[in-house]
Amino acid sequence: MPALHWPTRTWDLTTLTEAQHARWERDGYLVVPGAVPPAMAAAAAAAVRAFVGADDSAPASWYDNTLDIYNDRTAEGKKPHHGPCGMVQLFHHSSLWAIRQLPKLHGIFSDLYGTRALYVSTDRAHFKPPQDAAFPAWSDPGAVHVGLHWDVDTRREAWPVPFSVQGVVYLEDTSALQGALRVVPGFHRRFEAWDAARNRSSSRTASADATAALEAEAVPVEGPAGSLVLWHSLLPHGPGPNIGRAPRVSAYVTMLPVDAAPFVGAGRAADTPLGMSDAGTLAYFEVRTNKTHAYIYIYVYTYVCVCMYVCIYIYKYK
């Protein structure tokens, strides 16, 4: 059985260029500048800043939120809305919904999936200030967000890995030094050989030695404000440390096919989830008997409860 299901393109492109699609096929990731209008990106960035209490005239305010969003609780017993991992628990601001409903974004995802029947995720935002010795808590993103990882099950018993696309919108200019997303280009084309050389037990991360090798291959993905960064879920990915001068401000967004059957691979049930972002079924999020997997499924279940049990906007373009 092949390690990855990658559909053969038989459709015309409506939004991406042939060159862009070719880069996607080759590298497994793509930057689409100008996917979101500047004013719309700026409005979302302002909403994120207001939500986390960040005031650019007082940079110390960038670092006020130091609790771990997964394990800590506020004095009121609530889960923190922001912390050193950078993730922002902001889901339903109108500026984020404006981005999710952009026809251009729908066209981009349609060109990758080959179908216009897609639904959009209701995901989080991200605010990560530069590392600063005066605020040491912000140099440790925590176990969930440190280093490279996958958001899809990559173990052999889960092969073929489904065809699943993830995305993030840079709401402000994001340089390589600014904690930009890092990916391992082209990993989807050599994953099977890579896996054959290693005995892995984790679905989310590789062993320490394999991770070190992948870290050396990872490249930061830069982009101007309004860029949509796309990557296939099989690419090891994760944000880098922010050693720049300004926060990284972004919003995660992806679209997934209403009918997943053509994307899950031969011999799989049509309701097999495509990855962490796909809330079509909870089967992907069940805690498995292997204890080495338990922590990631608990994290994913929390993620689902917070941001995926919501009404999702279904695009029905003819």
Side-chain angles (χ1 to χ4, degrees):
M1 177 181 295
L4 169 66
H5 176 68
W6 191 285
T8 301
R9 180 186 152 206
T10 58
W11 56 90
D12 293 332
L13 301 177
T14 63
T15 307
L16 296 175
T17 66
E18 291 290 345
Q20 286 174 320
H21 197 277
R23 286 198 297 273
W24 164 258
E25 294 268 345
R26 181 192 67 201
D27 298 331
Y29 80 96
L30 181 66
V31 182
V32 185
V36 174
M40 192 174 288
V48 172
R49 276 186 161 78
F51 188 71
V52 303
D55 181 354
D56 286 357
S57 66
S61 67
W62 297 344
Y63 306 91
D64 284 346
N65 304 314
T66 58
L67 297 179
D68 183 280
I69 66 171
Y70 302 106
N71 299 316
D72 293 336
R73 295 295 181 270
T74 67
E76 295 78 23
K78 299 179 179 180
K79 292 184 178 181
H81 65 292
H82 181 227
C85 69
M87 302 303 293
V88 179
Q89 308 292 71
L90 178 64
F91 303 96
H92 290 296
H93 195 276
S94 59
S95 63
L96 298 180
W97 274 108
I99 290 173
R100 294 170 188 147
Q101 297 179 80
L102 274 173
K104 185 170 183 178
L105 258 66
H106 176 263
I108 292 169
F109 281 99
S110 295
D111 281 350
L112 298 183
Y113 281 108
T115 177
R116 300 184 68 79
L118 304 171
Y119 73 85
V120 66
S121 65
T122 306
D123 214 325
R124 301 180 281 186
H126 193 98
F127 183 91
K128 189 69 175 283
Q131 292 186 356
D132 189 319
F135 305 99
W138 276 89
S139 295
D140 180 10
V144 174
H145 293 278
V146 67
L148 302 174
H149 63 274
W150 295 285
D151 293 322
V152 67
D153 195 343
T154 62
R155 296 168 306 127
R156 294 186 185 184
E157 53 264 43
W159 288 6
V161 175
F163 185 81
S164 179
V165 183
Q166 296 178 244
V168 64
V169 174
Y170 288 159
L171 302 178
E172 297 180 347
D173 294 346
T174 302
S175 72
L177 299 178
Q178 214 171 329
L181 177 77
R182 297 174 305 140
V183 300
V184 179
F187 188 76
H188 61 299
R189 293 184 287 107
R190 59 184 180 87
F191 168 70
E192 190 165 358
W194 178 89
D195 185 83
R198 291 160 181 84
N199 183 19
R200 300 184 304 113
S201 61
S202 172
S203 62
R204 181 169 170 82
T205 59
S207 62
D209 60 330
T211 297
L214 291 174
E215 287 278 355
E217 298 180 54
V219 299
V221 184
E222 299 181 307
S227 296
L228 174 62
V229 181
L230 303 156
W231 69 98
H232 188 278
S233 292
L234 190 52
L235 263 63
H237 64 277
N242 188 343
I243 55 176
R245 296 185 176 182
R248 172 195 163 187
V249 190
S250 53
Y252 293 92
V253 61
T254 191
M255 296 188 188
L256 293 155
V258 173
D259 179 9
F263 307 97
V264 297
R268 307 283 285 276
D271 62 353
T272 301
L274 299 180
M276 186 183 296
S277 297
D278 189 354
T281 172
L282 292 180
Y284 187 80
F285 305 105
E286 292 173 353
V287 177
R288 302 188 180 186
T289 55
N290 187 336
K291 293 182 180 179
T292 63
H293 300 143
Y295 83 94
I296 178 55
Y297 290 101
I298 292 171
Y299 160 67
V300 173
Y301 180 78
T302 302
Y303 180 91
V304 170
C305 289
V306 172
C307 69
M308 300 304 286
Y309 286 164
V310 295
C311 294
I312 55 179
Y313 185 91
I314 303 290
Y315 289 91
K316 294 183 178 179
Y317 289 86
K318 300 294 183 179

